[in-house]
Amino acid sequence: MILEVRENTELKNVLKLASLVESGGVSKHLIKDGEVKLNGIVETRVSKKVEDGDIVEYSGEIVEIKII
């Protein structure tokens, strides 16, 4: 899936915008618990800004980031 987001979008918002979780609160807990990968590496910083071309992985779902 390709997800179009604005510049400075935080990782915690990507999961919500991609409809992989119901809320940003759930997203924060999943990231802090090490259940989310950014470009193949576990990322635990919820406020990490995503960049164009980044790959976010969670629960078998893969989201490619496209900055608009």
Side-chain angles (χ1 to χ4, degrees):
M1 151 194 285
I2 296 176
L3 181 66
E4 295 182 341
V5 298
R6 295 180 189 258
E7 195 171 1
N8 294 321
T9 298
E10 296 178 345
L11 182 59
K12 66 182 176 189
N13 296 324
V14 169
L15 298 179
K16 184 178 172 189
L17 293 170
S19 299
L20 299 179
V21 297
E22 294 178 12
S23 71
V26 171
S27 181
K28 283 173 62 174
H29 288 291
L30 293 172
I31 294 167
K32 286 182 179 181
D33 290 345
E35 296 189 40
V36 178
K37 290 184 180 180
L38 180 63
N39 299 322
I41 300 169
V42 172
E43 180 59 70
T44 57
R45 295 174 291 171
V46 296
S47 297
K48 170 74 173 135
K49 305 280 194 285
V50 293
E51 299 178 10
D52 195 53
D54 278 353
I55 303 294
V56 178
E57 299 176 58
Y58 167 66
S59 188
E61 296 291 330
I62 297 174
V63 178
E64 181 179 346
I65 301 300
K66 174 143 179 77
I67 302 295
I68 54 170

